[in-house]
């Protein structure tokens, strides 16, 4: 968890201060989340409520990303 937040902080710094793309760091954060989720699924810890929360979070993120892309192109 600490590593993920550290990578997100570095990605934000690269983006806002240096104006660089940081897809490599964001990819590492995403990969860490996928691996953690796969481990929890293997241990059968995930629930239906968890799937609902993740699905809703992904839908909200997708809508926000689309709005941001449309707003920056206008």
């Amino acid at each position: 968890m600490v590593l993920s937040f550290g990578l997100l902080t570095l990605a934000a710094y690269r983006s806002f201060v240096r104006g660089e793309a940081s897809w490599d760091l964001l990819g590492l954060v995403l990969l860490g989340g996928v691996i953690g989720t796969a481990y929890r699924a293997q241990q059968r810890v995930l629930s239906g409520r968890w799937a609902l929360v993740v699905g809703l979070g992904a839908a909200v993120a997708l809508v926000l990303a689309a709005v941001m892309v449309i707003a920056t192109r206008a």
Side-chain angles (χ1 to χ4, degrees):
M1 185 76 85
V2 172
L3 182 63
S4 292
F5 280 112
L7 287 171
L8 286 173
T9 302
L10 289 173
Y13 174 79
R14 272 191 187 180
S15 177
F16 293 125
V17 176
R18 299 172 109 188
E20 299 174 356
S22 54
W23 295 110
D24 53 345
L25 297 178
L26 293 175
L28 287 173
V29 172
L30 183 63
L31 181 63
V34 168
I35 290 172
T37 301
Y39 176 76
R40 288 180 187 89
Q42 181 183 13
Q43 300 298 317
R44 300 176 193 255
V45 179
L46 304 179
S47 65
R49 181 179 172 135
W50 176 88
L52 177 66
V53 170
V54 168
L56 288 174
V60 169
L62 183 62
V63 168
L64 288 175
V67 168
M68 290 174 69
V69 166
I70 292 169
T72 57
R73 289 189 179 183

